[in-house]
Amino acid sequence: MSTFAFGKDQLSVSAAFNIARGHVQGRLTPEVLALAAKSREAVETIVTGSETLYGVNTGFGPLCQTRISADHTRQLQVNLLKSHSVGVGDPVHPQLAKLMLISKLQSLCVGFSGVSEPLLQRILWHIDNDIIPVVPSQGSVGASGDLAPLAHLFLPLIGLGHVHHKGQVKPTAQMLQEEDMQPLELLAKEGLALINGTQFIAAHATLGIERLHHALNTADIIGAMSLEALLGSVRPFDERLHHLRPFPGNLLVARRLRKLLEGSEMVVSHEHCERVQDPYSLRCMPPVHGASRNAWLHVKEMLHVELNAVTDNPIVLDAQNTISGGNFHGQPMALPLDYATLAAHEVGNISDRRTYLLLEGREGLPTLLMKNTGINSGFMIPQYTSAALVSENKALCFPASADSIPTSLGQEDHVSMGSISGRKLNQVIDNLEKILAVELICAAQAFDYRRPMKSGKILEACHHLVRDHISHTEEDRVFSDDLQVATQLISGYQLSTLAEETAAREGIDLNGEQHERFRLS
C-alpha cells in the first residue's frame, strides 16, 4: 500500500479520500515529529516563563486578559473542549468526520501548533482504525475556527463524546475499554490547537468538490443524450468557436460534447436539415456547464491551499515569536463555496429546461414521452419534481458568507459562516443529482424512440447502463422507484465512471488538453 506523509506531502482532494477510504496509509515521519517536538518545546518554555500567550496561559475569547497559572494550564485545555462542545443537529456522515481528522492532522503536522507527538499519534490511530467521532452538523459560525464541531471531533481524545466503532455508535469510554486504551492528558495549548481551525469547512469542501466533479461530468453525458434525442446540432460545440472565448471550462465542455456525440447516427441523420439553431439549454451547454466548471476549478485551487495550511491560533514560530492572528477565519473558503453552490444550482437549472424540451413533442418525439397519453400522464410529473428541486436550490443559493453575527462578547465581531456555505453546497448537490436523474430517465426514454439509429460508443454504453436498471415504459408506473435508481447511478458515480472507462477503452480522448487542470488531484 502506498503511503502519505502528513505534514510533508501535499494533501489534495484525491489524497484525502484515498486515506479516508483506506487506499493509502498515513504516516508520521521522523522529520515531521522533530518539527512538532521543537514547536512543543517552545510552548513549554512559554508556560514556565513570564510571557503571556493567548490560550496557553490566558483565558479564551473575551477572557484573553485573564491570566491562568501554570498549574491550571492543562485543566484549561480540557475545559476548552468541554465548553465548546455545543453542536446541535444531525451528526455529519462518518466519512466527513474522518476527512476532518485527516485535514486537522495535516495542519498540526506542519509544525507550528505546539502539540505533542502522543496527540498526533492518537489522531492517526483514530484514522487508521476507522474509529470516527460523532460530530453534530450545526453550531459553527466559521471563524475562530469551526469551534463546536472540532470540539466534538476531539472529545474522544479525553474519553468523552461518542464514536463510530465497529459498525456501532458507542460512548468513547466503552470504545476505549474495548480497545484497552486510555484517554490522553492534554498539554498546554493542545485543546486550543485542536478546536481552532477550518477543518469542518474544509471537509465539506473536499466532499463537495468530489461530488460536483462527477455531477459536472454526468451533466455533460445526460445533456448530450438529450441533444441527440432532440436531434440537436453539434455545430455550437465547434472548437474554432470556443477558442474565440477561451474560458477553460467552456473549452473542456465543448470538447467533451463533441467526443460524446462523435460517431452518432442520430446526429448524422439531420445534418442537412433547415433548422437554424437550437434552444439555449442545448446549444449553450459549453458556456453554462463551462462556467460551473470554472467555478469548480477555482474552489479546488483554493481548497488545495486550505488543506495544507496552518489554521489554528496562536501560531508558534519559536519561544520568542508567537503570533495571535486570524488564520482560523473561514472567509477564504466561504466565498468560493458560495460560488460553487451557485455553480451547482445552475447545472440543475439548465438540466430542468432540457427535460422540459424532451416532453414537448419536438422532432417527432411523442408528447410527454409516451405514445398513449390521456389515460397515461407519461413523464409529465417527474418534471414537477425537477422544478421543485430547482426552486429549492434557488432558495439555498443565498450566500451564507454575506452574513455575520458577532460572538464572544464582540471579540469575534466578524465571522464567515463558511460552515453553512459548505453544508449548503452539499445540499444543493443532493438536489442536483436528483434533477439530473429526472433528465436521465427522460433522455433514455427519448433515446429509445430514435432506434434503430445508434449513438457513439460512450453514449451507447451509458444508455445500456440505464436500461440495465430502468426499463422503457409505455404505461404509467411509480416513477419514484426509477428516480431513486437513476439518482444512485449518478450519486454513486457509475455513469460518469462508465463514460471515462469506455472512452479509455475505445481510445477516445474525452477531456483533451484541459484534462490535467480539471482532475480531482
Side-chain angles (χ1 to χ4, degrees):
M1 181 184 292
S2 59
T3 61
F4 177 88
F6 280 102
K8 183 178 180 181
D9 294 337
Q10 288 287 293
L11 188 62
S12 65
V13 172
S14 293
F17 272 111
N18 282 333
I19 297 167
R21 290 166 179 158
H23 302 150
V24 168
Q25 175 72 51
R27 61 189 180 96
L28 302 174
T29 65
E31 303 97 304
V32 163
L33 293 176
L35 287 173
K38 183 178 179 181
S39 182
R40 181 68 224 162
E41 184 180 347
V43 171
E44 295 295 343
T45 300
I46 294 168
V47 170
T48 57
S50 59
E51 183 183 345
T52 299
L53 181 60
Y54 171 75
V56 174
N57 47 23
T58 76
F60 305 103
L63 302 176
C64 60
Q65 303 302 323
T66 303
R67 182 77 183 223
I68 305 297
S69 69
D71 293 339
H72 292 143
T73 54
R74 293 189 178 186
Q75 185 60 45
L76 177 67
Q77 304 305 308
V78 173
N79 289 349
L80 178 64
L81 260 66
K82 291 179 179 179
S83 65
H84 285 65
S85 295
V86 294
V88 296
D90 294 334
V92 302
H93 192 281
Q95 183 185 62
L96 199 146
K98 193 172 187 179
L99 289 171
M100 291 174 67
L101 289 173
I102 291 165
S103 57
K104 171 57 83 172
L105 186 56
Q106 175 73 353
S107 179
L108 295 177
C109 283
V110 176
F112 295 96
S113 300
V115 299
S116 64
E117 180 179 340
L119 181 70
L120 300 177
Q121 295 286 7
R122 181 60 66 91
I123 296 173
L124 183 60
W125 178 82
H126 275 272
I127 294 168
D128 286 346
N129 292 279
D130 208 32
I131 300 174
I132 308 304
V134 174
V135 178
S137 58
Q138 294 172 289
S140 172
V141 296
S144 194
D146 290 310
L147 295 172
L150 286 172
H152 283 278
L153 186 73
F154 293 115
L155 277 178
L157 299 187
I158 58 172
L160 302 178
H162 290 76
V163 294
H164 299 273
H165 180 237
K166 297 181 179 178
Q168 299 178 36
V169 173
K170 302 176 182 177
T172 298
Q174 179 183 340
M175 177 276 292
L176 290 174
Q177 184 177 22
E178 292 176 7
E179 295 289 335
D180 195 24
M181 300 281 285
Q182 295 296 319
L184 286 181
E185 182 178 349
L186 295 182
L187 306 179
K189 192 188 179 296
E190 289 191 325
L192 186 60
L194 290 171
I195 70 167
N196 261 241
T198 57
Q199 283 74 40
F200 185 80
I201 297 173
H204 278 84
T206 302
L207 179 62
I209 282 294
E210 184 189 67
R211 296 179 68 202
L212 186 54
H213 172 77
H214 285 278
L216 288 165
N217 285 345
T218 301
D220 294 342
I221 294 163
I222 300 172
M225 290 178 66
S226 294
L227 181 135
E228 279 196 299
L230 288 161
L231 302 182
S233 173
V234 297
R235 287 186 60 79
F237 314 138
D238 191 301
E239 184 176 16
R240 294 167 297 181
L241 172 67
H242 292 283
H243 273 293
L244 298 176
R245 196 188 187 199
F247 290 110
N250 302 34
L251 291 169
L252 175 64
V253 173
R255 179 186 180 86
R256 285 175 58 83
L257 290 170
R258 288 195 306 272
K259 293 299 180 180
L260 288 167
L261 295 166
E262 198 170 75
S264 169
E265 294 174 3
M266 290 177 245
V267 169
V268 174
S269 71
H270 60 93
E271 61 184 347
H272 300 301
C273 70
E274 295 181 359
R275 195 163 78 204
V276 176
Q277 59 185 22
D278 296 320
Y280 286 3
S281 60
L282 297 178
R283 63 184 161 109
C284 293
M285 281 189 279
V288 177
H289 290 195
S292 294
R293 295 261 184 182
N294 295 331
W296 178 90
L297 181 62
H298 176 61
V299 179
K300 187 191 82 161
E301 291 171 346
M302 298 292 283
L303 179 58
H304 184 77
V305 174
E306 189 76 338
L307 288 174
N308 296 284
V310 179
T311 59
D312 64 294
N313 180 63
I315 301 302
V316 181
L317 302 177
D318 54 51
Q320 290 73 43
N321 293 282
T322 61
I323 302 173
S324 186
N327 277 16
F328 51 72
H329 202 294
Q331 196 79 351
M333 287 306 303
L335 292 176
L337 284 169
D338 283 334
Y339 180 23
T341 300
L342 180 60
H345 159 66
E346 278 302 299
V347 176
N349 203 359
I350 196 172
S351 171
D352 175 70
R353 294 299 82 212
R354 290 193 297 265
T355 297
Y356 199 90
L357 289 177
L358 289 165
L359 301 177
E360 286 186 327
R362 291 168 172 261
E363 305 301 325
L365 292 176
T367 303
L368 302 177
L369 294 174
M370 206 172 280
K371 292 176 181 177
N372 187 20
T373 48
I375 188 173
N376 294 298
S377 295
F379 288 78
M380 179 199 313
I381 309 303
Q383 191 269 325
Y384 283 38
T385 298
S386 177
L389 293 168
V390 169
S391 182
E392 185 175 313
N393 277 353
K394 288 177 183 177
L396 289 168
C397 279
F398 180 84
S401 59
D403 186 32
S404 176
I405 299 176
T407 58
S408 193
L409 302 183
Q411 178 76 4
E412 296 159 12
D413 55 355
H414 181 277
V415 298
S416 75
M417 302 299 181
S419 60
I420 303 172
S421 302
R423 288 172 51 227
K424 287 201 304 101
L425 169 61
N426 283 281
Q427 285 179 271
V428 168
I429 296 172
D430 286 342
N431 290 338
L432 170 59
E433 290 168 346
K434 296 166 189 170
I435 293 164
L436 290 171
V438 175
E439 185 186 359
L440 179 60
I441 64 171
C442 290
Q445 180 82 359
F447 230 61
D448 295 338
Y449 292 121
R450 298 303 181 193
R451 296 307 192 195
M453 291 189 294
K454 291 185 177 182
S455 180
K457 298 289 187 180
I458 299 173
L459 293 186
E460 278 292 318
C462 291
H463 182 259
H464 284 307
L465 176 66
V466 176
R467 284 291 167 256
D468 285 343
H469 294 85
I470 304 169
S471 63
H472 178 92
T473 183
E474 291 296 340
E475 295 180 348
D476 286 348
R477 63 190 185 201
V478 181
F479 283 116
S480 65
D481 296 338
D482 296 342
L483 290 172
Q484 184 175 0
V485 172
T487 301
Q488 290 170 348
L489 292 177
I490 294 166
S491 63
Y493 310 155
Q494 290 100 313
L495 197 67
S496 58
T497 300
L498 176 63
E500 297 292 337
E501 290 175 348
T502 304
R505 185 174 62 251
E506 298 294 334
I508 300 170
D509 186 1
L510 187 57
N511 299 298
E513 63 184 19
Q514 298 295 332
H515 177 63
E516 285 299 317
R517 194 172 185 185
F518 284 92
R519 290 180 63 189
L520 273 174
S521 58

Short mmCIF file of all heavy atoms in Angstrom, two decimals, residues 191-237:
data_model
loop_
_atom_site.label_atom_id
_atom_site.label_comp_id
_atom_site.label_asym_id
_atom_site.label_seq_id
_atom_site.Cartn_x
_atom_site.Cartn_y
_atom_site.Cartn_z
N GLY A 191 -5.57 21.75 23.50
CA GLY A 191 -7.01 21.88 23.27
C GLY A 191 -7.32 23.01 22.31
O GLY A 191 -8.16 22.87 21.42
N LEU A 192 -6.64 24.13 22.47
CA LEU A 192 -6.85 25.27 21.59
C LEU A 192 -6.43 24.95 20.16
O LEU A 192 -7.11 25.33 19.20
CB LEU A 192 -6.05 26.48 22.11
CG LEU A 192 -6.28 27.80 21.39
CD1 LEU A 192 -7.73 28.23 21.48
CD2 LEU A 192 -5.37 28.88 21.95
N ALA A 193 -5.31 24.24 20.01
CA ALA A 193 -4.85 23.86 18.67
C ALA A 193 -5.86 22.94 17.99
O ALA A 193 -6.03 22.99 16.77
CB ALA A 193 -3.49 23.18 18.75
N LEU A 194 -6.53 22.12 18.78
CA LEU A 194 -7.50 21.18 18.21
C LEU A 194 -8.76 21.87 17.72
O LEU A 194 -9.29 21.52 16.66
CB LEU A 194 -7.86 20.11 19.26
CG LEU A 194 -6.77 19.11 19.63
CD1 LEU A 194 -7.20 18.28 20.82
CD2 LEU A 194 -6.42 18.22 18.44
N ILE A 195 -9.28 22.84 18.47
CA ILE A 195 -10.58 23.41 18.10
C ILE A 195 -10.45 24.64 17.21
O ILE A 195 -11.43 25.04 16.57
CB ILE A 195 -11.43 23.75 19.33
CG1 ILE A 195 -10.86 24.93 20.10
CG2 ILE A 195 -11.62 22.53 20.21
CD1 ILE A 195 -11.82 25.49 21.12
N ASN A 196 -9.27 25.27 17.17
CA ASN A 196 -9.07 26.38 16.24
C ASN A 196 -8.68 25.82 14.89
O ASN A 196 -7.71 25.07 14.78
CB ASN A 196 -7.97 27.32 16.74
CG ASN A 196 -8.51 28.55 17.43
OD1 ASN A 196 -8.28 29.66 17.00
ND2 ASN A 196 -9.25 28.33 18.50
N GLY A 197 -9.40 26.15 13.86
CA GLY A 197 -9.10 25.66 12.52
C GLY A 197 -10.35 25.60 11.67
O GLY A 197 -11.47 25.80 12.16
N THR A 198 -10.17 25.32 10.41
CA THR A 198 -11.28 25.35 9.45
C THR A 198 -11.59 23.97 8.89
O THR A 198 -12.08 23.84 7.77
CB THR A 198 -10.91 26.29 8.28
OG1 THR A 198 -9.69 25.83 7.68
CG2 THR A 198 -10.74 27.72 8.75
N GLN A 199 -11.34 22.94 9.68
CA GLN A 199 -11.43 21.58 9.13
C GLN A 199 -12.87 21.13 8.85
O GLN A 199 -13.08 20.28 7.99
CB GLN A 199 -10.74 20.59 10.08
CG GLN A 199 -9.23 20.63 9.99
CD GLN A 199 -8.60 21.85 10.62
OE1 GLN A 199 -9.03 22.30 11.68
NE2 GLN A 199 -7.58 22.41 9.99
N PHE A 200 -13.85 21.67 9.55
CA PHE A 200 -15.25 21.36 9.23
C PHE A 200 -15.59 21.94 7.86
O PHE A 200 -16.19 21.26 7.02
CB PHE A 200 -16.16 21.95 10.31
CG PHE A 200 -17.62 21.62 10.17
CD1 PHE A 200 -18.11 20.40 10.60
CD2 PHE A 200 -18.51 22.54 9.65
CE1 PHE A 200 -19.46 20.09 10.50
CE2 PHE A 200 -19.86 22.26 9.55
CZ PHE A 200 -20.34 21.02 9.97
N ILE A 201 -15.18 23.18 7.61
CA ILE A 201 -15.39 23.80 6.30
C ILE A 201 -14.62 23.04 5.23
O ILE A 201 -15.16 22.71 4.17
CB ILE A 201 -14.93 25.28 6.33
CG1 ILE A 201 -15.77 26.09 7.32
CG2 ILE A 201 -15.01 25.90 4.94
CD1 ILE A 201 -15.27 27.51 7.54
N ALA A 202 -13.36 22.73 5.52
CA ALA A 202 -12.51 22.07 4.52
C ALA A 202 -13.04 20.68 4.17
O ALA A 202 -12.99 20.26 3.00
CB ALA A 202 -11.07 21.97 5.03
N ALA A 203 -13.55 19.96 5.16
CA ALA A 203 -14.09 18.62 4.89
C ALA A 203 -15.32 18.69 4.00
O ALA A 203 -15.48 17.90 3.07
CB ALA A 203 -14.42 17.91 6.20
N HIS A 204 -16.21 19.65 4.28
CA HIS A 204 -17.38 19.82 3.41
C HIS A 204 -16.96 20.23 2.00
O HIS A 204 -17.57 19.79 1.02
CB HIS A 204 -18.32 20.87 4.01
CG HIS A 204 -19.23 20.34 5.08
ND1 HIS A 204 -18.83 20.22 6.39
CD2 HIS A 204 -20.51 19.87 5.01
CE1 HIS A 204 -19.83 19.71 7.10
NE2 HIS A 204 -20.85 19.48 6.29
N ALA A 205 -15.94 21.07 1.91
CA ALA A 205 -15.45 21.47 0.59
C ALA A 205 -14.85 20.27 -0.15
O ALA A 205 -15.07 20.10 -1.35
CB ALA A 205 -14.40 22.57 0.73
N THR A 206 -14.10 19.44 0.56
CA THR A 206 -13.50 18.25 -0.05
C THR A 206 -14.57 17.32 -0.59
O THR A 206 -14.49 16.85 -1.73
CB THR A 206 -12.63 17.51 0.99
OG1 THR A 206 -11.61 18.41 1.47
CG2 THR A 206 -11.96 16.30 0.38
N LEU A 207 -15.57 17.06 0.23
CA LEU A 207 -16.68 16.22 -0.22
C LEU A 207 -17.42 16.85 -1.39
O LEU A 207 -17.72 16.17 -2.39
CB LEU A 207 -17.65 16.00 0.95
CG LEU A 207 -18.89 15.15 0.67
CD1 LEU A 207 -18.50 13.73 0.27
CD2 LEU A 207 -19.80 15.12 1.90
N GLY A 208 -17.68 18.14 -1.30
CA GLY A 208 -18.41 18.83 -2.36
C GLY A 208 -17.65 18.87 -3.67
O GLY A 208 -18.24 18.73 -4.75
N ILE A 209 -16.34 19.03 -3.60
CA ILE A 209 -15.53 19.09 -4.81
C ILE A 209 -15.57 17.75 -5.54
O ILE A 209 -15.70 17.70 -6.77
CB ILE A 209 -14.09 19.49 -4.47
CG1 ILE A 209 -14.01 21.00 -4.22
CG2 ILE A 209 -13.12 19.11 -5.58
CD1 ILE A 209 -14.29 21.85 -5.44
N GLU A 210 -15.46 16.64 -4.81
CA GLU A 210 -15.53 15.34 -5.47
C GLU A 210 -16.91 15.10 -6.07
O GLU A 210 -17.05 14.69 -7.23
CB GLU A 210 -15.20 14.21 -4.50
CG GLU A 210 -15.17 12.85 -5.22
CD GLU A 210 -15.05 11.66 -4.29
OE1 GLU A 210 -16.01 11.41 -3.53
OE2 GLU A 210 -14.03 10.97 -4.35
N ARG A 211 -17.95 15.39 -5.31
CA ARG A 211 -19.31 15.15 -5.79
C ARG A 211 -19.65 16.04 -6.99
O ARG A 211 -20.26 15.58 -7.97
CB ARG A 211 -20.32 15.40 -4.67
CG ARG A 211 -20.17 14.45 -3.48
CD ARG A 211 -21.19 14.78 -2.41
NE ARG A 211 -22.54 14.47 -2.88
CZ ARG A 211 -23.63 15.03 -2.37
NH1 ARG A 211 -23.55 15.93 -1.40
NH2 ARG A 211 -24.82 14.68 -2.84
N LEU A 212 -19.26 17.30 -6.92
CA LEU A 212 -19.57 18.21 -8.01
C LEU A 212 -18.79 17.84 -9.27
O LEU A 212 -19.29 17.99 -10.39
CB LEU A 212 -19.29 19.65 -7.60
CG LEU A 212 -19.69 20.75 -8.59
CD1 LEU A 212 -21.16 20.62 -9.00
CD2 LEU A 212 -19.40 22.13 -8.01
N HIS A 213 -17.57 17.36 -9.10
CA HIS A 213 -16.77 16.90 -10.24
C HIS A 213 -17.53 15.84 -11.03
O HIS A 213 -17.65 15.93 -12.26
CB HIS A 213 -15.45 16.33 -9.72
CG HIS A 213 -14.61 15.66 -10.76
ND1 HIS A 213 -13.85 16.34 -11.68
CD2 HIS A 213 -14.41 14.34 -11.01
CE1 HIS A 213 -13.23 15.48 -12.47
NE2 HIS A 213 -13.55 14.25 -12.07
N HIS A 214 -18.05 14.84 -10.32
CA HIS A 214 -18.79 13.77 -11.01
C HIS A 214 -20.13 14.27 -11.54
O HIS A 214 -20.57 13.83 -12.61
CB HIS A 214 -18.97 12.60 -10.07
CG HIS A 214 -17.72 11.80 -9.87
ND1 HIS A 214 -17.30 10.83 -10.76
CD2 HIS A 214 -16.79 11.84 -8.88
CE1 HIS A 214 -16.16 10.31 -10.33
NE2 HIS A 214 -15.83 10.89 -9.20
N ALA A 215 -20.78 15.17 -10.81
CA ALA A 215 -22.06 15.71 -11.29
C ALA A 215 -21.87 16.50 -12.58
O ALA A 215 -22.70 16.43 -13.50
CB ALA A 215 -22.70 16.58 -10.21
N LEU A 216 -20.78 17.25 -12.67
CA LEU A 216 -20.50 18.02 -13.89
C LEU A 216 -20.23 17.08 -15.06
O LEU A 216 -20.72 17.31 -16.18
CB LEU A 216 -19.31 18.95 -13.65
CG LEU A 216 -19.58 20.15 -12.75
CD1 LEU A 216 -18.27 20.78 -12.29
CD2 LEU A 216 -20.44 21.19 -13.46
N ASN A 217 -19.44 16.04 -14.83
CA ASN A 217 -19.20 15.06 -15.89
C ASN A 217 -20.50 14.39 -16.32
O ASN A 217 -20.76 14.18 -17.52
CB ASN A 217 -18.20 14.00 -15.42
CG ASN A 217 -16.78 14.51 -15.37
OD1 ASN A 217 -16.46 15.56 -15.93
ND2 ASN A 217 -15.92 13.80 -14.68
N THR A 218 -21.34 14.06 -15.35
CA THR A 218 -22.61 13.42 -15.64
C THR A 218 -23.54 14.34 -16.40
O THR A 218 -24.26 13.90 -17.31
CB THR A 218 -23.27 12.95 -14.32
OG1 THR A 218 -22.39 12.06 -13.65
CG2 THR A 218 -24.59 12.25 -14.58
N ALA A 219 -23.54 15.61 -16.05
CA ALA A 219 -24.40 16.58 -16.74
C ALA A 219 -24.04 16.67 -18.23
O ALA A 219 -24.94 16.80 -19.08
CB ALA A 219 -24.29 17.95 -16.08
N ASP A 220 -22.76 16.61 -18.55
CA ASP A 220 -22.35 16.61 -19.97
C ASP A 220 -22.90 15.37 -20.68
O ASP A 220 -23.39 15.46 -21.81
CB ASP A 220 -20.82 16.61 -20.08
CG ASP A 220 -20.18 17.89 -19.58
OD1 ASP A 220 -20.89 18.90 -19.44
OD2 ASP A 220 -18.96 17.87 -19.31
N ILE A 221 -22.82 14.23 -20.03
CA ILE A 221 -23.29 12.97 -20.63
C ILE A 221 -24.79 13.03 -20.89
O ILE A 221 -25.27 12.75 -21.99
CB ILE A 221 -22.96 11.78 -19.70
CG1 ILE A 221 -21.44 11.60 -19.59
CG2 ILE A 221 -23.62 10.50 -20.20
CD1 ILE A 221 -21.03 10.75 -18.40
N ILE A 222 -25.54 13.41 -19.85
CA ILE A 222 -27.00 13.43 -19.98
C ILE A 222 -27.44 14.53 -20.94
O ILE A 222 -28.37 14.34 -21.73
CB ILE A 222 -27.65 13.62 -18.60
CG1 ILE A 222 -27.25 12.46 -17.67
CG2 ILE A 222 -29.17 13.69 -18.72
CD1 ILE A 222 -27.69 12.66 -16.22
N GLY A 223 -26.76 15.67 -20.89
CA GLY A 223 -27.08 16.75 -21.83
C GLY A 223 -26.85 16.32 -23.26
O GLY A 223 -27.64 16.66 -24.16
N ALA A 224 -25.78 15.56 -23.51
CA ALA A 224 -25.52 15.07 -24.87
C ALA A 224 -26.60 14.08 -25.30
O ALA A 224 -27.03 14.07 -26.46
CB ALA A 224 -24.14 14.41 -24.92
N MET A 225 -27.06 13.23 -24.38
CA MET A 225 -28.14 12.30 -24.70
C MET A 225 -29.42 13.05 -25.06
O MET A 225 -30.12 12.70 -26.02
CB MET A 225 -28.39 11.36 -23.51
CG MET A 225 -27.29 10.36 -23.27
SD MET A 225 -27.61 9.30 -21.80
CE MET A 225 -29.06 8.38 -22.37
N SER A 226 -29.72 14.10 -24.30
CA SER A 226 -30.91 14.89 -24.58
C SER A 226 -30.80 15.57 -25.94
O SER A 226 -31.77 15.61 -26.71
CB SER A 226 -31.11 15.95 -23.49
OG SER A 226 -31.40 15.36 -22.25
N LEU A 227 -29.62 16.11 -26.25
CA LEU A 227 -29.43 16.77 -27.54
C LEU A 227 -29.63 15.79 -28.68
O LEU A 227 -30.29 16.11 -29.68
CB LEU A 227 -28.03 17.39 -27.60
CG LEU A 227 -27.72 18.13 -28.90
CD1 LEU A 227 -27.07 19.47 -28.63
CD2 LEU A 227 -26.84 17.29 -29.83
N GLU A 228 -29.08 14.60 -28.55
CA GLU A 228 -29.26 13.59 -29.60
C GLU A 228 -30.74 13.25 -29.79
O GLU A 228 -31.24 13.19 -30.91
CB GLU A 228 -28.51 12.32 -29.24
CG GLU A 228 -27.04 12.37 -29.56
CD GLU A 228 -26.44 10.99 -29.54
OE1 GLU A 228 -26.47 10.34 -28.50
OE2 GLU A 228 -25.91 10.57 -30.59
N ALA A 229 -31.42 13.01 -28.67
CA ALA A 229 -32.83 12.63 -28.76
C ALA A 229 -33.68 13.73 -29.38
O ALA A 229 -34.68 13.45 -30.04
CB ALA A 229 -33.35 12.29 -27.36
N LEU A 230 -33.25 14.98 -29.19
CA LEU A 230 -33.98 16.12 -29.75
C LEU A 230 -33.45 16.51 -31.12
O LEU A 230 -33.85 17.55 -31.66
CB LEU A 230 -33.89 17.30 -28.79
CG LEU A 230 -34.72 17.16 -27.50
CD1 LEU A 230 -34.23 18.12 -26.43
CD2 LEU A 230 -36.20 17.39 -27.79
N LEU A 231 -32.56 15.70 -31.67
CA LEU A 231 -31.96 15.96 -32.98
C LEU A 231 -31.33 17.35 -33.04
O LEU A 231 -31.52 18.11 -33.98
CB LEU A 231 -33.00 15.78 -34.10
CG LEU A 231 -33.67 14.40 -34.17
CD1 LEU A 231 -34.64 14.36 -35.36
CD2 LEU A 231 -32.63 13.28 -34.28
N GLY A 232 -30.58 17.65 -31.98
CA GLY A 232 -29.90 18.95 -31.92
C GLY A 232 -28.63 18.95 -32.73
O GLY A 232 -28.12 17.92 -33.18
N SER A 233 -28.07 20.14 -32.89
CA SER A 233 -26.88 20.34 -33.72
C SER A 233 -25.61 20.29 -32.88
O SER A 233 -25.58 20.74 -31.73
CB SER A 233 -26.96 21.69 -34.43
OG SER A 233 -25.75 21.98 -35.11
N VAL A 234 -24.53 19.77 -33.48
CA VAL A 234 -23.23 19.77 -32.82
C VAL A 234 -22.39 21.00 -33.18
O VAL A 234 -21.33 21.22 -32.59
CB VAL A 234 -22.42 18.50 -33.17
CG1 VAL A 234 -23.13 17.26 -32.68
CG2 VAL A 234 -22.16 18.40 -34.68
N ARG A 235 -22.88 21.79 -34.13
CA ARG A 235 -22.09 22.94 -34.57
C ARG A 235 -21.78 23.94 -33.45
O ARG A 235 -20.69 24.53 -33.43
CB ARG A 235 -22.80 23.66 -35.74
CG ARG A 235 -22.71 22.87 -37.04
CD ARG A 235 -23.28 23.67 -38.21
NE ARG A 235 -22.60 24.93 -38.45
CZ ARG A 235 -21.44 25.06 -39.08
NH1 ARG A 235 -20.81 23.98 -39.53
NH2 ARG A 235 -20.90 26.24 -39.25
N PRO A 236 -22.67 24.15 -32.48
CA PRO A 236 -22.32 25.08 -31.40
C PRO A 236 -21.16 24.62 -30.53
O PRO A 236 -20.70 25.37 -29.67
CB PRO A 236 -23.62 25.15 -30.57
CG PRO A 236 -24.70 24.79 -31.53
CD PRO A 236 -24.09 23.75 -32.41
N PHE A 237 -20.68 23.40 -30.75
CA PHE A 237 -19.57 22.89 -29.94
C PHE A 237 -18.25 22.91 -30.72
O PHE A 237 -17.23 22.37 -30.26
CB PHE A 237 -19.87 21.46 -29.47
CG PHE A 237 -21.27 21.31 -28.93
CD1 PHE A 237 -22.03 20.18 -29.24
CD2 PHE A 237 -21.84 22.30 -28.14
CE1 PHE A 237 -23.32 20.04 -28.76
CE2 PHE A 237 -23.14 22.16 -27.65
CZ PHE A 237 -23.88 21.04 -27.96
#
